[in-house]
Amino acid sequence: MLPKFLKPFHISKSNLIRIGPKTDGGYIVDKRIFKKTDALITCGLNDDWEFEKSFLKKNKNSKIFAYDHTVTKKFWLSRFKKDIVSLLLLKKLKIGKILDVFKYIDYQLFFRNNKKHFEKKIVFKEKSNEETTIPKIINNHNKVVLKIDIEGDEYKILNDIKKNSKRIFFLLIEFHNVHKNLIKIRNFLRKSDLKIIHIHANNYGGIDKNGIPKVIELSMLNSKKIKINKILSKRKYPIIDLDYKNFKRREDIKIQFS
């Protein structure tokens, strides 16, 4: 059971749309952001940019900037070797799995022109050229959609996000180890213009002994940029035909609020 401060504000369902796959990597956004934003900044990429592809189809003039220090030539070489072994051992039989072997080609084709990937780690205070900060990456943009999935390091940059929220029209953020960091999340949400409009529990993380999802995905709208009625939602989460399991072979997590 999650505390009430994580309960989303009500948004008309006609404004809610899923961007990305119907599995891990897909997120819910308010479709009004497409006409009001000009840049999608992704922190945490790995080998999945399906969300970015889908976003670009809805907002063709948007620029896309991705930051992930782990996605390097060494990363791609290691991945290719593993995929070739799996292919030879007949572990990749579906066409989608076979095409995955050549994911690097898709990466090269996608990240060019107004779509760029930077091999930099997002930190609170940079100590090397391989690191950067939230203020730096959004400095030249005023109408930003910011997506954060950095495996627990999100707590280190919450103050930077809050201080620079005037530039952020929409925030997608995945919180890890929620059961251990509820106070940090509450402090981040307090007196913030970024309001939760959707919540989904990532079933990869499971729940703790008190029924609290260990990993949650929040969709947050800047109420100073796009109008929102500050009435709490009465919907049940996950939402049918909008939310889907991150991990298909495991039950989705039903969210309850105290």
Side-chain angles (χ1 to χ4, degrees), residues 87-180:
L87 190 63
L88 293 174
L89 293 176
L90 303 179
K91 291 182 179 181
K92 289 181 178 287
L93 299 176
K94 294 182 180 180
I95 186 66
K97 293 289 186 181
I98 294 172
L99 291 175
D100 257 359
V101 175
F102 307 100
K103 190 83 172 182
Y104 180 67
I105 297 173
D106 186 48
Y107 166 82
Q108 289 287 354
L109 291 173
F110 183 73
F111 285 102
R112 56 182 180 171
N113 301 325
N114 64 339
K115 307 178 292 294
K116 300 182 186 299
H117 165 230
F118 301 92
E119 295 177 12
K120 288 181 179 287
K121 183 178 182 179
I122 303 298
V123 296
F124 172 66
K125 187 175 182 180
E126 59 185 293
K127 298 178 181 178
S128 71
N129 291 330
E130 285 75 44
E131 298 176 336
T132 190
T133 64
I134 291 295
K136 272 196 171 183
I137 67 176
I138 68 173
N139 184 48
N140 295 321
H141 309 284
N142 293 309
K143 302 175 181 178
V144 172
V145 175
L146 182 63
K147 182 163 77 80
I148 305 285
D149 183 4
I150 50 178
E151 305 301 322
D153 282 347
E154 60 272 9
Y155 296 104
K156 299 175 183 178
I157 61 170
L158 291 182
N159 284 336
D160 275 347
I161 294 173
K162 197 167 185 175
K163 287 177 182 177
N164 291 274
S165 62
K166 288 182 180 180
R167 299 175 182 269
I168 302 168
F169 276 56
F170 201 80
L171 172 67
L172 291 161
I173 184 165
E174 186 164 279
F175 283 110
H176 300 79
N177 296 312
V178 173
H179 55 306
K180 298 178 181 179

Side-chain angles (χ1 to χ4, degrees), residues 30-65:
D30 187 317
K31 65 183 182 183
R32 292 177 291 175
I33 67 173
F34 298 128
K35 292 182 179 180
K36 294 180 178 290
T37 58
D38 56 19
L40 166 62
I41 299 178
T42 291
C43 301
L45 183 67
N46 200 2
D47 62 354
D48 181 9
W49 45 92
E50 290 304 312
F51 177 89
E52 287 71 21
K53 283 184 179 179
S54 296
F55 186 90
L56 202 57
K57 288 178 181 178
K58 297 290 183 181
N59 191 351
K60 292 180 173 60
N61 296 319
S62 180
K63 295 178 181 178
I64 292 179
F65 304 98

Side-chain angles (χ1 to χ4, degrees), residues 188-215:
F188 169 65
L189 296 173
R190 184 179 291 162
K191 296 180 180 180
S192 173
D193 294 332
L194 294 166
K195 306 297 182 184
I196 301 171
I197 64 163
H198 184 268
I199 185 171
H200 181 253
N202 188 322
N203 65 349
Y204 271 109
I207 59 175
D208 77 343
K209 61 182 180 181
N210 296 313
I212 295 177
K214 294 182 180 180
V215 182

